[in-house]
Amino acid sequence: MQLTVWTYEGPPHVGAMRVATGMRDLHYVLHAPQGDTYADLLFTMIERRDHRPPVTYTTFQARDLGKDTAELFKTAARDAYDRFQPQAMIVGSSCTAELIQDDPHGLSLTMGLPCPVIPLELPSYSRKENWGASETFYQIVRTLADKERKPLPAVGENGPRRPRANLLGPTALGFRHRDDVAEITRLLGDLGIDVNLVAPMGSSPADIAGIGEADFNICLYPEIAAQACSWLERTYRQKTVKTVPIGLLATREFVSEVCAVAGLPVPTDLDQGRMGWWSRSIDSTYLTGKRVFIFGDGTHAVAAARVASEELGFKVVGLGCYNREFAREVRAAAEKYGVEPLISDDYLAVEEAIEAAAPELVLGTQMERHIAKRLRLPCAVISAPVHVQDFPARHSPQMGFEGANVLFDTWVHPLVMGLEEHLLTMFREDFEFSDAAGPSHLGHASAPAAHPAPAAEQAEGEVATITAPAPAPAEEGGWTPEALAELGKIPFFVRGKARRNTERYAAEHGVTTITRDTLYEAKSHYAR
């Protein structure tokens, strides 16, 4: 176990919370000490939900450990049912409560609650959040699905019916799940396919009972839904669409796979958005060859690498994920792009890899946004975990053709702003762009005077002031002022690497004072 100030995934019971919070008429009774009661903070603050999460805690304290904590759980479960009247309940323990082994499921069975009670065995010390969400959804589907409910006949009294699909995997706290569902539902409607069920987000236990009435399943988020889809294939013989429609090419493949499973022709008149045209336009040639480092959950990282390489012409210089269950997929993608895969949940290792790769763009999670800010690199968020700013009020999907448009905008904007910053840095010695000039959009009146005003223009009684020229900077770490000034002209996103290479070159060649010539000698040396 490693002490850290940041974790990409919480314990597995947080994954169970994400499933429960996304559903309706389901309640989660969690055996947990007082310090583990943070569900409200996660969902109402970060996701800005307008309802409190359906979680009841036993909230035992240290003094309760000498008493009957099992009775505390039974009381909490009974009170939760009486207050919320859920269609079903899930019960489990947090990582701390797991140590006292009170067996929440066994206790709930002895209470005779008038609703299905689903036990969750979530090993907190060997598994993490995404696995917990996957296991929770799987147990809910396996327990509540009515095996007698099958798809309706393809042809009814009124003629052929439209095919029906289940959209599986979206949860609370998921990255753009709300908008992805809306986008894919619209796309399926354009293809002539109805949505039978969206789960777990937005569904109730009664809805889950009818999951077998769909003709096929669409696994939108494999981290959450792959296990449940596999069980549904075996139990209901439902086929699963496994292409994740992130990016223009993947969305086209998704449409082809969905139409093949549904027995429909692939339409030729679908509105495929503007991303394809933008990525072929003359302006996008600025993006060609940009070095990008990608890190996130396995599904989003692999999808982002494909979009970056095949649709935008970026060069993938780093690829990794934090959820080890998807290490195989990430390793295969990394081999395709000729980079070393990074499978780690240690953000310090990720920061070290980003710094070594010296990319021009970082695509990652909330943590990579912080890392990129420290390294002064452009960044866009592509994957959970995320913070409140990544749950926008506007429609902003990652999937489908509109999602491809969003990806183009989201990834290009940091690069454009980075170019602007680089140009300002390059020309900062120019009178118009120097720090002393002031913001140009506020007019010349806002600029501090760099020279004394002519005597004829001075107001009566005003004393002329003279701004002395700024002194030349002293040597810093063995660098002469001229060398530091030249270093400042190097683009900020590779400046750190240039400095490290120069200092290493100087150390290896016994150079104690780094001059402008040393900088270019080092550049020539490493270019060879």
Side-chain angles (χ1 to χ4, degrees):
M1 184 177 295
Q2 180 180 0
L3 183 63
T4 181
V5 298
W6 169 270
T7 177
Y8 288 97
E9 294 184 85
H13 72 265
V14 173
M17 284 184 197
R18 290 175 54 191
V19 172
T21 303
M23 293 183 66
R24 297 177 287 107
D25 298 321
L26 178 79
H27 203 82
Y28 186 15
V29 180
L30 185 62
H31 200 25
Q34 197 167 17
D36 283 350
T37 54
Y38 45 71
D40 281 3
L41 178 67
L42 284 175
F43 298 101
T44 59
M45 186 195 80
I46 295 179
E47 196 173 13
R48 299 191 284 195
R49 296 183 70 86
D50 57 355
H51 291 83
R52 294 184 63 182
V55 182
T56 293
Y57 302 93
T58 56
T59 58
F60 60 83
Q61 302 179 49
R63 64 174 178 267
D64 296 319
L65 295 178
K67 305 174 186 177
D68 188 357
T69 53
E71 190 60 37
L72 282 175
F73 173 82
K74 292 169 70 174
T75 301
R78 190 179 297 109
D79 290 348
Y81 180 80
D82 292 342
R83 179 181 178 186
F84 299 105
Q85 298 288 304
Q87 296 176 6
M89 294 174 66
I90 54 178
V91 297
S93 299
S94 73
C95 44
T96 310
E98 186 181 328
L99 299 173
I100 61 177
Q101 300 180 336
D102 272 338
D103 186 17
H105 180 232
L107 293 171
S108 61
L109 291 180
T110 65
M111 297 170 57
L113 294 173
C115 72
V117 178
I118 303 167
L120 299 178
E121 297 291 339
L122 306 177
S124 299
Y125 299 97
S126 60
R127 296 289 189 171
K128 294 194 174 181
E129 181 180 327
N130 277 327
W131 185 90
S134 174
E135 177 69 13
T136 300
F137 183 49
Y138 165 67
Q139 293 295 345
I140 288 173
V141 170
R142 183 170 180 172
T143 303
L144 300 178
D146 185 347
K147 297 182 178 59
E148 301 301 318
R149 295 171 69 170
K150 305 289 184 182
L152 297 173
V155 179
E157 296 178 358
N158 299 320
R161 65 170 178 83
R162 286 161 60 105
R164 305 176 72 183
N166 294 320
L167 299 183
L168 304 182
T171 68
L173 271 186
F175 184 61
R176 307 291 168 82
H177 287 193
R178 174 201 66 188
D179 299 337
D180 286 347
V181 168
E183 184 63 22
I184 297 305
T185 299
R186 184 195 62 78
L187 177 58
L188 292 175
D190 292 344
L191 296 175
I193 298 170
D194 294 330
V195 173
N196 175 62
L197 172 69
V198 178
M201 190 170 72
S203 65
S204 68
D207 297 329
I208 298 290
I211 198 168
E213 295 179 352
D215 298 295
F216 60 97
N217 297 309
I218 296 175
C219 185
L220 284 182
Y221 306 101
E223 278 85 355
I224 310 300
Q227 187 178 6
C229 286
S230 178
W231 183 83
L232 290 167
E233 285 181 5
R234 299 191 304 270
T235 305
Y236 290 96
R237 300 294 185 266
Q238 290 173 326
K239 294 183 178 179
T240 301
V241 173
K242 297 181 180 179
T243 300
V244 179
I246 297 178
L248 186 63
L249 298 178
T251 300
R252 289 171 178 167
E253 292 172 6
F254 172 82
V255 168
S256 297
E257 185 178 358
V258 165
C259 289
V261 170
L264 298 173
V266 179
T268 57
D269 58 348
L270 283 177
D271 179 3
Q272 299 194 12
R274 293 173 291 279
M275 195 271 205
W277 181 86
W278 281 331
S279 63
R280 294 192 304 271
S281 68
I282 189 66
D283 289 340
S284 73
T285 57
Y286 159 68
L287 307 174
T288 304
K290 290 293 183 183
R291 296 161 52 83
V292 59
F293 190 102
I294 301 168
F295 191 86
D297 69 56
T299 296
H300 282 87
V302 170
R306 182 182 183 186
V307 173
S309 176
E310 300 180 24
E311 300 182 28
L312 296 178
F314 293 163
K315 178 176 176 55
V316 177
V317 297
L319 178 61
C321 73
Y322 56 79
N323 48 339
R324 298 180 184 277
E325 294 85 357
F326 283 74
R328 182 178 301 171
E329 290 84 348
V330 171
R331 287 194 179 101
E335 183 178 2
K336 176 180 178 182
Y337 301 114
V339 298
E340 186 69 25
L342 176 61
I343 314 299
S344 176
D345 57 3
D346 182 354
Y347 68 93
L348 294 176
V350 178
E351 180 169 6
E352 185 178 323
I354 292 174
E355 192 169 9
E360 294 160 274
L361 175 66
V362 177
L363 302 176
T365 72
Q366 176 186 337
M367 191 62 224
E368 281 65 53
R369 175 163 50 207
H370 295 319
I371 291 170
K373 189 178 295 184
R374 284 197 294 274
L375 299 176
R376 299 194 68 198
L377 296 172
C379 179
V381 174
I382 62 163
S383 163
V386 293
H387 210 343
V388 61
Q389 63 265 48
D390 296 302
F391 291 96
R394 69 186 183 279
H395 182 63
S396 185
Q398 300 291 285
M399 294 185 175
F401 296 120
E402 182 59 25
N405 293 340
V406 172
L407 291 181
F408 184 89
D409 286 342
T410 305
W411 299 6
V412 169
H413 289 174
L415 286 171
V416 173
M417 296 304 293
L419 175 64
E420 180 180 282
E421 182 177 344
H422 173 46
L423 291 174
L424 289 173
T425 301
M426 282 182 62
F427 294 104
R428 66 185 174 192
E429 296 175 3
D430 187 280
F431 75 94
E432 260 191 293
F433 296 101
S434 70
D435 293 337
S440 60
H441 65 283
L442 297 180
H444 295 293
S446 66
H451 304 283
E457 296 178 12
Q458 293 179 26
E460 184 177 355
E462 183 180 347
V463 179
T465 59
I466 299 177
T467 304
E475 290 191 12
E476 177 188 324
W479 288 71
T480 65
E482 293 79 11
L484 285 174
E486 197 69 19
L487 180 68
K489 296 179 181 179
I490 297 175
F492 68 92
F493 41 80
V494 291
R495 192 179 303 147
K497 184 176 182 180
R499 178 165 192 153
R500 289 193 303 274
N501 284 347
T502 304
E503 291 173 348
R504 184 170 61 179
Y505 173 85
E508 291 174 352
H509 291 78
V511 177
T512 57
T513 301
I514 298 175
T515 65
R516 185 174 179 274
D517 290 339
T518 312
L519 180 64
Y520 283 99
E521 288 168 5
K523 178 182 178 183
S524 176
H525 172 77
Y526 288 109
R528 293 194 297 268

